[in-house]
Amino acid sequence: MMKNYQKKRWGCRNACALSLLLIVFFGASCDRQKNVPATGTQVGSSARVVRPYIVEKGALTETRTFPVVLKEGMSAKLSFRVAGKLDGFSVVPGRRFEKGELVASLDPRDYQLIVDRAKEALKEANAARRAMETGARPEDLATAEATYEAAKSQRETAEKQFKRMESLRQDEAVSVMQYDLAKSTYDAAVAAERAADKNLEKAQVGARAEEIEMIKAKIAGLEIDLQLAENKLADTKLYAPFAGIVSEKFFEDHETVAPGIAVLTLVDDKSFEGEIGITEELALRLKDVEKIECRFEAIPGKTFDATIKETSTTVQKDTRTYLMTISVDATEEDGALLGMVGTARIDFKISDGAIYVPTSSLVVGTDDSGEPSASATHVWLIDASSKTLSRRAVEVGDSADDRTRILSGLEGGEMIVGAGARYLSDGQEICLQEAQ
């Protein structure tokens, strides 16, 4: 991993405008000196052309780079929710499906029969409920009345026979067996008359409220049974949950599959992701991520934005890093393909108010023995009014990517020599290099 420090714009617009004006003014001055005739004295002939740099102070951006490999943005192992035999399964790896397109299906015969049976049961229950709520039809009512009259007549006949047997029994003119037979015949006739009377009452006024509630509850259960049966029938067809291509196929046509067993793998080859291993330090600074960009060796000259999708909370045992998944804004039209190798560049915001200057602006002095000394380091300040230089001692910190941190000596807003500072002197006249 590399550590790069990039300066982020913090300063005010007035300072930038002043810098540009000074560059234009001094550049024009240098041009005028260059155009002085060869004869006579050349005013400012000793002026040195230097590159200016405005010292800025504020939030900076720390950049880290990581290797990254493009992988599919989404993949899924597709399976059926019911068991069955594959019917017309002719899919091959590499086949593309659009979202919602039929991928595979099972033989629906048995599931269709279950649906048909559930529909018939529900139809019968609904008919019974309507009969309870509206009463019997005229022909059914006539039948109930006839049945009741017949039962009543049978009861009256059995009653007369029983009373006669009862009288004869008192005189011991009939046996006990004959008496008991007459009594049981009479009791049965009474029960049959009561049942016929109840049926007639139902036919005349309809079923009782509790009976209607019971049939309604039965209908609700049958409706659930029908819905479950229809769901199972629908589950014999497997549809693509997203657009993608088949990467693996695990069964052949006419084979029987169990619920939850994958029959193929579908991958989204039009959205891409990458995985990066980050340290514990960076895992705690994800809120400071300002920007993520990816570059790939096979696509020179193009940069792709990326965003954090998720970060694992457990460390990888082999690398001792945390796995961060990024979504890469790249498409096939951009030339992106699965497996491409590249670099992910992540910018982290730093808000310590530190000052950084180009390392080329620093002049390392020597101590009394002539050895280089960091404590004797200085920069050259540019005086805009006199067009001269003055030495300013600075204390320096760490350096990276041709930039050095200034611990003391500068406050921000100063104009210094940005390059070529080694061969300048105190009080020397200068003119600024024009912006390229």
Side-chain angles (χ1 to χ4, degrees), residues 291-306:
K291 187 177 183 181
I292 304 177
E293 291 182 340
C294 294
R295 294 177 181 270
F296 299 96
E297 299 173 2
I299 315 177
K302 285 189 177 181
T303 301
F304 302 96
D305 292 334

Side-chain angles (χ1 to χ4, degrees), residues 33-43:
Q33 293 173 19
K34 293 176 182 177
N35 294 329
V36 172
T39 59
T41 304
Q42 296 185 12
V43 179

Side-chain angles (χ1 to χ4, degrees), residues 24-72:
V24 172
F25 177 78
F26 285 173
S29 174
C30 292
D31 287 341
R32 289 193 298 270
Q33 293 173 19
K34 293 176 182 177
N35 294 329
V36 172
T39 59
T41 304
Q42 296 185 12
V43 179
S45 59
S46 62
R48 179 75 175 270
V49 179
V50 298
R51 182 187 306 165
Y53 175 81
I54 301 297
V55 178
E56 296 183 356
K57 176 181 180 180
L60 303 173
T61 300
E62 177 185 353
T63 300
R64 300 289 184 93
T65 57
F66 305 85
V68 65
V69 178
L70 275 184
K71 54 177 287 189
E72 65 274 6

Side-chain angles (χ1 to χ4, degrees), residues 135-318:
R137 294 177 298 176
E139 57 269 28
D140 294 334
L141 179 60
T143 300
E145 289 175 347
T147 301
Y148 171 71
E149 291 298 330
K152 179 180 178 182
S153 177
Q154 291 177 1
R155 189 266 307 165
E156 290 175 347
T157 300
E159 184 178 6
K160 291 177 181 179
Q161 181 67 17
F162 172 64
K163 286 182 178 180
R164 190 171 68 87
M165 285 292 178
E166 190 175 32
S167 176
L168 293 173
R169 177 60 188 156
Q170 290 177 356
D171 297 335
E172 296 183 355
V174 294
S175 65
V176 175
M177 182 179 295
Q178 289 175 316
Y179 171 81
D180 291 340
L181 178 61
K183 186 177 185 305
S184 63
T185 301
Y186 170 66
D187 291 340
V190 171
E193 182 186 18
R194 288 175 180 173
D197 184 47
K198 290 287 185 182
N199 288 334
L200 177 58
E201 182 181 357
K202 280 186 179 181
Q204 291 172 338
V205 301
R208 293 179 299 177
E210 56 268 26
E211 292 175 328
I212 294 177
E213 289 301 318
M214 288 177 63
I215 194 65
K216 285 183 177 180
K218 180 180 179 180
I219 289 173
L222 292 174
E223 288 176 341
I224 293 175
D225 291 342
L226 176 59
Q227 185 63 59
L228 291 173
E230 290 178 337
N231 288 345
K232 290 183 177 180
L233 178 61
D235 288 338
T236 61
K237 297 186 181 300
L238 191 60
Y239 298 93
F242 52 85
I245 62 172
V246 176
S247 64
E248 296 176 287
K249 176 183 177 182
F250 306 110
F251 287 87
E252 297 298 330
D253 194 20
H254 306 302
E255 289 188 306
T256 300
V257 297
I261 302 300
V263 296
L264 58 85
T265 300
L266 188 70
V267 299
D268 181 3
D269 62 333
K270 289 188 176 295
S271 65
F272 298 96
E273 294 180 355
E275 291 182 344
I276 298 171
I278 60 175
T279 63
E280 177 181 313
E281 172 214 352
L282 297 182
L284 296 173
R285 296 175 54 194
L286 295 183
K287 65 181 185 300
D288 296 326
V289 172
E290 287 192 324
K291 187 177 183 181
I292 304 177
E293 291 182 340
C294 294
R295 294 177 181 270
F296 299 96
E297 299 173 2
I299 315 177
K302 285 189 177 181
T303 301
F304 302 96
D305 292 334
T307 56
I308 299 175
K309 181 178 181 181
E310 59 183 2
T311 304
S312 67
T313 56
T314 56
V315 69
Q316 304 296 303
K317 294 182 179 180
D318 52 346

